[in-house]
Amino acid sequence: MSRTVAVCFALGIVVLAGCSKPSDGPTEPGFGKPLRIGMLPKLKGISYFQACERGAKDAAKELNVDLIYDGPTDNRVEDQVQMLNEWIQLGIDAICIAPNDPETISPILKRAREKGIIVVTYDADANAETSTRQAFCNQTPTDELAKTMVDIVANQMGGEGKAVIVSTSPSAPNQNAWMSFMLPYLKEKYPKITLLETLYPAEDISRARQMTADVIASHPDLKGIWGLSSVALPGAAEAVRQSKKIGQIAVTGVTLPSELREYVKDGTVKEFCLWNPEDLGYLAIHVAKVLKEKGALKEGAQDIGRVKGVRVNGTEVILGPPIIFSKDNIDSYKF
Amino acid sequence: MKTSFFSLVRTWSVPWILFSLALALTLSSIEPAKLPELWRKPADIGTLAVAMTAIMLTGGIDLSVGSIVALSGVVLGLLYRDLHWPIGMAAMGGVLAGTVAGMINGSLIASGIAPLVATLATMALFRGLAMALVDGQRIANLPSSFTDFAWDSPGGLPTQIYLLMGISLLFYIFVHHTWQGRSLFAIGENKLAAEFAALPVRRIEASLYILSGTVAGLVAVMQTAYGGAAVPDSARGFELQAIACVVLGGTRVTGGFGSIPRTLLGLATLAHLQIGFSLNSRREFWIPGLNTSFRLDADMQLIIVGALVILVAVINERLAGRRRE
C-alpha cells in the first residue's frame, strides 16, 4: 500500500511540483499587458489547422499578442464549448474559433460576447445571428471557389460526360455551401455533364478511396470527379490512380498541396485549388486585434498585415481568390 | 474496528489523492467561485456515469448511452419542429425515446446476449437511427425559454448539477439501501450463484439498462438545451468518458465491488484533470533530472488520463485480490 501511495505522490510531484515556467509568449514588456487571444481549431493535429496555427503565430509575434492555441483531439463540438467556457473563466480578451457545429457553438459565443470578449470565427462560421460574433474570416468567396472547381473539371472533360462529387458528410457546412453554387452553375454552363449521386465518405480517407473506386468500376465512362475536402480529394485521386484511369478522368477539388504533390507529379490531378491556410490564421488574429482596439473593421478592400487585397463586407472578412495549384507552382508552397 | 478503518483508507486513498491533485491543479489558475460554471459538461457525463455504475456493478456495460443521448435529442427536436408539440412535451418525448432505447438494450441482454456485444450493436444502431431521422442535419431554432434553463444557475449552481445530484441520490438509495441494489453486487460477484439464490437476475439486469436509457434521455434534454440545437452527431464518446469516471472511482469493471459515491469522486477527478490541464495548457512543465519538458495540452491530457485509468484499475485489482484472501 505504501508503495501505491508513493507512486501517486511521485506522479503528483511530476505534475505539480515539476516546476513550471512561462510559455514562449512575448517576453519584452510592451505598453501594458499584451492582448490575450485564444485560438480554437476544429481539431488539433491535422495539417490544415497546423498551417493556420503557423500563420496565427506569425501574427501574434508581429502584434505582441499572447496567443493560446488549443483544441479538441477529435472534432467534437462539446469539447469546444467546454474549452471556450474555460477560457472565458480565465478572462481571455478575444477568441478565434473554427466551429464544428454552427448552432451548438453559438450560445457560448453569445455569452462570451456578453462578457466583452471579441469573437471571430475562421474557416467555418457560427450562426451569425444567435452567436452575435463580430467577424467571420472567410477563406475565399464561396461562389468563386465553386465556379473555379467546376471550370477545371469541365474543361478537361470537354464539357460533356458523367461526373461525380465526393463530399464529406451531408451536414458539413462548407461543402454544402460550395455545392449550392456548383450545381446550378454546372446546369447552366455545362448542361451536357450529368452528375451521379454525391458520395459522403465523412472524414475517412480510405472510405473516400473505396467509394470513388466503386463508382469508377460501376461507371466505366466516368470522366470527372470533384473531391471537396482534404480527405475526399486525395482519396479520389488514389482511386483514379489504382483504377489505372490517369488521364481519362479529370480530378480536382480542394486540399493542401502537401497532400497531393505526388498525384500532381504523375498527372492524376492537373489542377486543384485552395486558399492559403497560413494567411487565414494570420488574418484571424489581426482581425481580432483590430476589433479590440478600434471596435470595428473598415469596409471594403484593404491590406491587413502581410495579406493584400482583403475584402471586408459587413462582418465577413474575405481572404481572397482561391489559389490554383498545378505542376508548375506546387513546389513553391510549404503547407 | 481497526482493520475496517484501514481497509477504508486503503480502498479510498488512491481516488482521493488523485482528486486532490487534480483539484489543486485547477485551483492553481482559477478562483473557486468560477468552478461551478465549468461543471456543466462534466455534470452531464457524471449523470450518465452514475447510471453506468449500477450496470458495471453487475459486471455489465452500456456502450450505447452516447448514441441514446443523440437519438433522444433528435426525437425531441422532431417532436417540436415537425409535430409542433409544446417544447415541454417534446422534452418528455425525448426522455421516453431514451427509455425505449434502454428497453431494447434490456431485452437483448435479458435474452442472453453479452452486454458488450448488445450495446456495441445498439451504439451503432441508435446513432444511425439518429442520423437517418434527420438526414444528418441539425434541428435549430428551439425556443429560448427551453435553451435558457440549461444556462441557468439557480442558487449559484448550474442546472446540470441539480440533475446530477438528483440522479445520484436516487441511485444511491437504490444501489445501497434496497435489496435489489444489494443483489447487483451478488450478480457481479457470481452470476450463477445469484441465479441459484433465486434472485431475478434477468429482470434486474434488464431494468438497469432501461434506467440507463432513461437517464441518457434526461441528459439529452440538458445537452440539447445547452447547445441550442438537436444534433444527430452529438455526444460522441460520452459513454467512454462515463466509463472512465466509474473506473477512476475504483468500481471494478468485472463487477461486485464499487459504489455511487466512488463514481462521483471519479467524476470529480476526471473533470478536474481535464479542466486543470486545459487551464494550464500553456504552462511548460519540466521533469527534474530528465531535462525534458511537456505541456498539458489536449494530447498530453489523453496520455495522463489513460495512464491514470490503468493505474487505478491495476491497484483495484490488487486490492480486490487481497480482500479475497
Side-chain angles (χ1 to χ4, degrees), chain A residues 35-37 87-89 91-95 108-120 131-134 288-289 291-293 295:
Chain A
L35 201 62
R36 271 215 294 185
I37 301 183
W87 286 355
I88 293 171
Q89 305 301 325
I92 207 167
D93 298 305
I95 290 164
I108 188 80
L109 292 182
K110 186 168 166 236
R111 260 101 191 153
R113 288 275 290 121
E114 283 164 2
K115 290 200 188 279
I117 298 169
I118 304 289
V119 175
V120 175
S131 70
T132 65
R133 56 109 181 102
Q134 284 135 302
K289 173 98 172 171
L291 284 169
K292 180 75 189 177
E293 281 169 359

Side-chain angles (χ1 to χ4, degrees), chain A residues 1 3-5 7-9 11-25 36 44 66-79 81-83 85-91 100-108 111 127 130 170-173 176, chain B residues 10 13-14 17-18 21 24-25 29-30 34 37-38 40-42 135-138 140-141 148 151 223 226-229 231 233-238 241 274-275 277-279 281-288 294-299 301-302 304 308 311 315 318-319 322:
Chain A
M1 188 56 218
R3 219 169 53 197
T4 49
V5 174
V7 169
C8 281
F9 271 119
L11 214 102
I13 285 161
V14 173
V15 174
L16 282 179
C19 319
S20 69
K21 63 180 181 194
S23 70
D24 53 0
R36 271 215 294 185
K44 283 178 67 175
D66 188 1
L67 180 70
I68 305 178
Y69 184 90
D70 206 357
T73 42
D74 197 355
N75 59 341
R76 268 198 292 263
V77 68
E78 290 97 343
D79 292 353
V81 173
Q82 178 72 13
M83 286 179 138
N85 212 341
E86 283 156 9
W87 286 355
I88 293 171
Q89 305 301 325
L90 267 182
N100 279 315
D101 186 281
E103 296 299 336
T104 309
I105 205 72
S106 291
I108 188 80
R111 260 101 191 153
N127 182 327
T130 53
S171 61
N176 285 349
Chain B
R10 212 160 59 186
S13 57
V14 177
I17 291 167
L18 286 180
L21 289 174
L25 184 66
S29 52
I30 202 166
K34 289 181 173 170
E37 186 57 38
L38 296 180
R40 291 190 191 274
K41 185 190 167 215
D135 206 11
Q137 306 296 319
R138 61 193 69 72
N141 298 322
D148 280 351
W151 287 89
Q223 280 281 318
Y226 187 52
V231 185
D233 197 29
S234 69
R236 266 182 299 138
F238 276 26
Q241 294 181 44
Q274 285 172 348
I275 295 170
F277 286 173
S278 180
L279 290 176
S281 67
R282 285 180 331 132
R283 264 197 225 169
E284 211 165 300
F285 293 87
W286 53 270
I287 305 167
F294 64 91
R295 280 177 195 219
L296 296 174
D297 56 10
D299 309 334
Q301 276 182 42
L302 289 179
I304 295 185
L308 285 182
L311 181 78
I315 292 170
R318 294 187 60 178
L319 289 176
R322 238 178 264 179

Side-chain angles (χ1 to χ4, degrees), chain B residues 149-205:
Chain B
F149 98 95
W151 287 89
D152 254 3
S153 295
L157 288 179
T159 341
Q160 285 85 345
I161 296 214
Y162 290 98
L163 179 66
L164 172 65
M165 291 196 301
I167 297 291
S168 301
L169 190 65
L170 288 177
F171 269 84
Y172 179 76
I173 294 169
F174 166 64
V175 170
H176 300 291
H177 293 281
T178 66
W179 70 265
Q180 288 96 337
R182 276 193 297 279
S183 69
L184 304 184
F185 294 87
I187 296 171
E189 197 70 55
N190 190 333
K191 196 165 162 178
L192 201 60
E195 268 166 7
F196 280 131
L199 285 174
V201 172
R202 293 270 157 94
R203 215 169 62 215
I204 289 174
E205 277 186 333

Side-chain angles (χ1 to χ4, degrees), chain B residues 64-310:
Chain B
S64 68
V65 286
S67 298
I68 297 181
V69 170
L71 179 61
S72 299
V74 164
V75 168
L76 185 164
L78 283 175
L79 290 175
Y80 173 75
R81 188 190 66 185
D82 293 350
L83 299 183
H84 309 293
W85 287 22
I87 192 70
M89 292 276 290
M92 275 184 250
V95 177
L96 198 66
T99 311
V100 172
M103 282 175 177
I104 295 173
N105 282 337
S107 49
L108 286 176
I109 283 143
S111 75
I113 302 174
L116 186 78
V117 179
T119 58
L120 188 66
T122 53
M123 173 168 83
L125 182 78
F126 296 149
R127 176 71 64 185
L129 208 55
M131 296 294 257
L133 277 175
V134 284
D135 206 11
Q137 306 296 319
R138 61 193 69 72
I139 299 176
N141 298 322
L142 301 172
S144 61
S145 59
F146 171 62
T147 52
D148 280 351
F149 98 95
W151 287 89
D152 254 3
S153 295
L157 288 179
T159 341
Q160 285 85 345
I161 296 214
Y162 290 98
L163 179 66
L164 172 65
M165 291 196 301
I167 297 291
S168 301
L169 190 65
L170 288 177
F171 269 84
Y172 179 76
I173 294 169
F174 166 64
V175 170
H176 300 291
H177 293 281
T178 66
W179 70 265
Q180 288 96 337
R182 276 193 297 279
S183 69
L184 304 184
F185 294 87
I187 296 171
E189 197 70 55
N190 190 333
K191 196 165 162 178
L192 201 60
E195 268 166 7
F196 280 131
L199 285 174
V201 172
R202 293 270 157 94
R203 215 169 62 215
I204 289 174
E205 277 186 333
S207 60
L208 291 180
Y209 291 88
I210 297 172
L211 281 175
S212 173
T214 311
V215 168
L218 288 167
V219 170
V221 174
M222 223 35 125
Q223 280 281 318
T224 310
Y226 187 52
V231 185
D233 197 29
S234 69
R236 266 182 299 138
F238 276 26
E239 61 284 338
L240 297 181
Q241 294 181 44
I243 292 166
C245 293
V246 179
V247 175
L248 262 181
T251 295
R252 285 188 70 197
V253 195
T254 44
F257 177 77
S259 72
I260 301 294
R262 279 179 172 279
T263 294
L264 294 179
L265 186 58
L267 165 70
T269 308
L270 193 68
H272 281 289
L273 278 174
Q274 285 172 348
I275 295 170
F277 286 173
S278 180
L279 290 176
N280 287 290
S281 67
R282 285 180 331 132
R283 264 197 225 169
E284 211 165 300
F285 293 87
W286 53 270
I287 305 167
L290 284 177
N291 208 15
T292 49
S293 68
F294 64 91
R295 280 177 195 219
L296 296 174
D297 56 10
D299 309 334
M300 200 63 202
Q301 276 182 42
L302 289 179
I303 294 173
I304 295 185
V305 169
L308 285 182
V309 171
I310 293 173

Side-chain angles (χ1 to χ4, degrees), chain A residues 222-239:
Chain A
L222 186 80
K223 286 173 72 185
I225 300 174
W226 290 276
L228 300 191
S229 79
S230 58
V231 168
L233 180 51
E238 179 61 27

